[in-house]
Structures are given as structure tokens and as C-alpha cells.
Amino acid sequence: MEVSNRTLLQGIKKRLGTTKGNWVDELPEVLWSYRTTPRTSTKETPFCLAYGAEAMLPAEMMIGSIRTECCQEQENSEGLRENLDLLEERRERSSIRQAAYKKVTERYYNHRVKNKAFRV
């Protein structure tokens, strides 16, 4: 949670620059960015883990893209249902990846602490 909060604060600070009072206006864009960026530990976006599909950018909806132009309503509905059926499996794989990432990070941290203790 602390890392998430720090990431959001950094995003808000970057968007604000020198004007500090308008952070409320920038919050939706920062949250969108956070929710649609893949996490290193899970290789998934929080949006995808919540809804079972990748988010479509607002610009794609306004301007149009291959995804929006070639969209077939029936096929899209079936695909979304399939994604929802597989969502629990996707979350499980993500959880396994996160545990493995945590183990690697812990091993790296412990190795650095151990080597630092011997140098002192």
C-alpha cells in the first residue's frame, strides 16, 4: 500500500509542476495511468485483474482505432464473457507470479544486508 501511495503522489507531483493547489483536477488521470500500467510483480494491470479485459484508451474511443473500427458487437460480448470465465485463473497466475517476485526481491535484499554487515 505504501508503494502504491508513493507512486500516486509522484504522479500527481509530476503533473502539477509548480501549481500545487490543483491536485484534485489531476487525480483522475493519475489514477487511470496507475490502473492501466502493468505491475512488475504480476505482469498484469490492476484494471485487467479487476475487470478481466484490458482498458481501452479514451483517445481510441474519440478518434477511433483498429479495435474500435473492427469491433463486432456479438463477438465482443462473447469475448468478454470468456475473459470473465478465465478471470479467476488469471488472478491465480498473477498471485503466483507475485509470490515468486516477492521471493526474488527478498533474496536480493537479504544478500545485500548480509554483505553490508560483513563490510562494517
Side-chain angles (χ1 to χ4, degrees), residues 3 13 17-18 23 37 40 49 63 78 93 99 105 113 116 120:
V3 173
K13 285 178 184 177
T18 57
W23 68 270
T37 302
T40 303
L49 291 175
I63 298 171
E78 290 172 13
R93 278 195 319 259
T105 304
V113 169
K116 198 173 191 178
V120 175

Side-chain angles (χ1 to χ4, degrees), residues 58-112:
E60 283 183 281
M61 298 299 292
M62 291 186 290
I63 298 171
S65 69
I66 293 175
R67 284 200 314 182
T68 58
E69 301 296 323
C70 298
C71 180
Q72 306 262 331
E73 197 68 35
Q74 183 65 27
E75 289 177 25
N76 189 44
S77 295
E78 290 172 13
L80 288 173
R81 271 190 230 99
E82 287 175 16
N83 284 346
L84 286 175
D85 290 342
L86 298 173
L87 182 57
E88 199 56 43
E89 183 180 325
R90 187 178 223 164
R91 287 176 179 163
E92 184 65 30
R93 278 195 319 259
S94 176
S95 178
I96 292 168
R97 278 192 217 113
Q98 190 173 22
Y101 182 80
K102 182 178 178 185
K103 216 173 217 181
V104 168
T105 304
E106 184 179 330
R107 195 176 315 132
Y108 174 78
Y109 174 79
N110 289 338
H111 177 73
R112 286 186 49 112

Side-chain angles (χ1 to χ4, degrees), residues 43-56:
K43 309 278 192 274
E44 299 281 353
T45 65
F47 187 94
C48 184
L49 291 175
Y51 300 108
E54 288 300 333
M56 189 172 287

